[in-house]
Amino acid sequence: MRGSEKFVIDVGALLEKVEAAAPVDAVEAVATALCEMVDAHSVTFLIADFSGRAVVRLTSAGRVKGARSHGAEQAETVPLAGTVYEQVLRTQQIDVQSLGAGARLIVPVTDRGDAIGLLEMTLPRYPHPDEITDVCSAAHALAYVVIAARQHTDVFEWGHRSTPFALAAEIQRRLLPPAYTCEAGQFTLAGWLEPAAAVGGDTFDYSLERDALQVSITDAVGHQVSAALLATLLVGGLRNARRKGLSLADQARYANDSLAENSVPGQFVTGQLLRLDLRTGAATIVNAGHPFPLRLRDGRVEEIELRIEAPFGVLPGKSFEVQPFPLEPGDRIVLLTDGMQERNAVNLDVANALIDTADLHPREVVQRLGEAVLDETGGDLRDDATMVCIDWYGGPRRERNSEQGADPDRASAST
């Protein structure tokens, strides 16, 4: 690229570079290729930390002061609060800032609303809008690169963790879905888990089929490894039943019996199983001793009162009732565990928090709720606090601008 010539990013060539590299080198291969294509001074990838309050710059070249290391890998943790990184992650809009004659671009790396991280790039000149579009396309391609590469290496998983996991947290992590956010035309879903100091056995899960969305939220009795193992039995039972094609009622019964048969008496898991029919818009739910869901409709938050049945694992052979769940297009539904209502968070008004965040994306809503419960408890969570937020749009499938950074007209530019 010379003078005022526009640069062109060949996404196909980027992917060829990735295919030629080992999974552990995939991101570095993209960064190197991008540097060459756009004549950039630097290109780096920052992965979102599991805490939701930092991003982590991954690199294997040069030594970075203050970075933690794992063999040849380095991870530099950058707190989000009040930074442009936080702005880009939350708004999913590219930020372009002038730097003398050049520019710095910070671009969301996102797939279906799941904020994987950020691409940071410094250029020798200010980019043309078409070039910004190309960079956004490259960042979106990078999301798929990370998703594919992290199946083969622990580097990205390690990078996600600014603090080491205890064994119970490691087990619990395996029970959560690979992506915490999903945008799919008729709905947007986001989940979040704020772990207690002593892991409390919370989980959430979801699966999107051609004609239905299935969601679960569960809370195992106890703490630490025993709770994590109990949760493993229940979630394993639910997934096994779901993948066998069983109905919602039969999934509940199968998981209940699996838990009862493989755990000692007195152990149980509360939970809810929700199914949204994408053809009809009808919703049904199983409520196994769990806190009631909340619904935001027309600016008002209401608790959805359900008939309460015994938790999973208490009564072997029990049949669970599938209840209708009142749902209309435009509704926001929040499923939560009792960690959001624990005794040292009694002053947290979840309903008001939902009203205050009504205009935010579900991904932002669950993170704000997680921050609120941490603030209320002074960071001393005595039980896991878990949330799933679902925005239901209803109607026929429609396209939504999930990767907002792909629109250069929405770029936040400052000089």
Side-chain angles (χ1 to χ4, degrees):
M1 183 182 71
R2 296 175 182 274
S4 60
E5 291 181 24
K6 290 183 187 178
F7 61 70
V8 176
I9 296 176
D10 185 340
V11 173
L14 281 179
L15 296 179
E16 286 180 9
K17 296 279 189 181
V18 170
E19 286 295 319
V24 71
D25 296 323
V27 170
E28 194 166 332
V30 170
T32 300
L34 274 176
C35 270
E36 295 171 355
M37 289 179 183
V38 304
D39 195 25
H41 294 316
S42 65
V43 177
T44 58
F45 173 61
L46 298 99
I47 199 166
D49 184 75
F50 280 142
S51 70
R53 287 171 282 278
V55 286
V56 178
R57 193 187 312 275
L58 296 178
T59 178
S60 60
R63 304 311 298 175
V64 178
K65 185 177 180 180
R68 55 192 168 92
S69 60
H70 179 72
E73 309 301 327
Q74 293 183 97
E76 178 190 2
T77 301
V78 182
L80 283 175
T83 68
V84 66
Y85 301 124
E86 179 181 45
Q87 172 191 326
V88 173
L89 268 184
R90 293 209 163 177
T91 65
Q92 289 296 289
Q93 295 179 23
I94 184 173
D95 181 86
V96 184
Q97 293 188 13
S98 294
L99 293 178
R104 182 189 69 177
L105 284 66
I106 300 176
V107 194
V109 176
T110 306
D111 174 53
R112 289 197 175 274
D114 188 37
I116 294 169
L118 301 167
L119 185 67
E120 184 170 16
M121 177 185 299
T122 56
L123 301 176
R125 60 183 178 81
Y126 200 89
H128 185 276
D130 291 344
E131 295 170 329
I132 294 176
T133 298
D134 278 359
V135 170
C136 290
S137 296
H140 189 45
L142 179 57
Y144 292 106
V145 169
V146 174
I147 290 168
R150 67 187 179 190
Q151 299 179 76
H152 308 289
T153 174
D154 280 341
V155 166
F156 301 104
E157 183 75 19
W158 170 76
H160 277 302
R161 306 177 180 193
S162 55
T163 56
F165 277 25
L167 175 59
E170 190 71 55
I171 297 170
Q172 184 184 49
R173 162 69 179 153
R174 300 275 70 81
L175 301 178
L176 301 178
Y180 289 5
T181 302
C182 179
E183 293 178 339
Q186 289 170 285
F187 69 88
T188 296
L189 174 150
W192 193 254
L193 187 154
E194 285 291 349
V199 166
D202 280 14
T203 74
F204 67 90
D205 196 19
Y206 68 89
S207 177
L208 177 59
E209 303 166 3
R210 291 189 185 275
D211 61 354
L213 169 67
Q214 298 198 58
V215 184
S216 70
I217 188 167
T218 65
D219 182 1
V221 68
H223 291 87
Q224 298 295 49
V225 171
S226 61
L229 293 177
L230 198 60
T232 300
L233 276 173
L234 193 278
V235 173
L238 289 174
R239 286 174 173 167
N240 187 226
R242 189 182 71 216
R243 291 163 182 167
K244 287 180 177 180
L246 301 186
S247 68
L248 202 63
D250 288 341
Q251 289 176 40
R253 180 167 183 164
Y254 181 90
N256 175 72
D257 290 350
S258 298
L259 190 62
E261 291 168 9
N262 294 284
S263 61
V264 300
Q267 293 189 310
F268 62 87
V269 180
T270 71
Q272 286 164 348
L273 313 182
L274 177 68
R275 185 181 189 276
L276 280 161
D277 190 313
L278 301 179
R279 299 164 303 176
T280 66
T284 52
I285 193 167
V286 168
N287 183 38
H290 205 73
F292 293 150
L294 299 176
R295 180 184 63 203
L296 174 62
R297 177 185 290 174
D298 298 328
R300 294 179 59 238
V301 175
E302 296 178 289
E303 204 170 54
I304 304 300
E305 295 189 4
L306 304 169
R307 287 182 290 283
I308 302 172
E309 299 194 75
F312 297 115
V314 173
L315 301 173
K318 173 179 169 51
S319 295
F320 289 82
E321 180 184 3
V322 176
Q323 304 178 48
F325 189 89
L327 189 67
E328 296 179 1
D331 284 353
R332 169 168 286 177
I333 303 299
V334 175
L335 312 179
L336 68 168
T337 61
D338 60 8
M340 292 295 297
Q341 304 162 331
E342 64 154 317
R343 58 186 177 275
N344 63 338
V346 292
N347 293 323
L348 174 60
D349 191 330
V350 177
N352 274 343
L354 286 179
I355 292 171
D356 291 343
T357 57
D359 294 333
L360 299 182
H361 189 285
R363 175 186 56 244
E364 297 178 77
V365 172
V366 294
Q367 291 189 7
R368 291 281 182 91
L369 288 174
E371 290 170 0
V373 75
L374 281 177
D375 289 344
E376 185 60 38
T377 60
D380 181 26
L381 269 180
R382 299 172 190 172
D383 195 6
D384 295 348
T386 305
M387 305 133 272
V388 177
C389 178
I390 305 165
D391 280 1
W392 174 245
Y393 313 116
R397 181 177 178 83
R398 58 178 177 173
E399 294 300 320
R400 291 178 56 78
N401 185 22
S402 59
E403 277 70 49
Q404 294 178 4
D407 182 355
D409 292 333
R410 297 177 65 97
S412 173
S414 56
T415 59

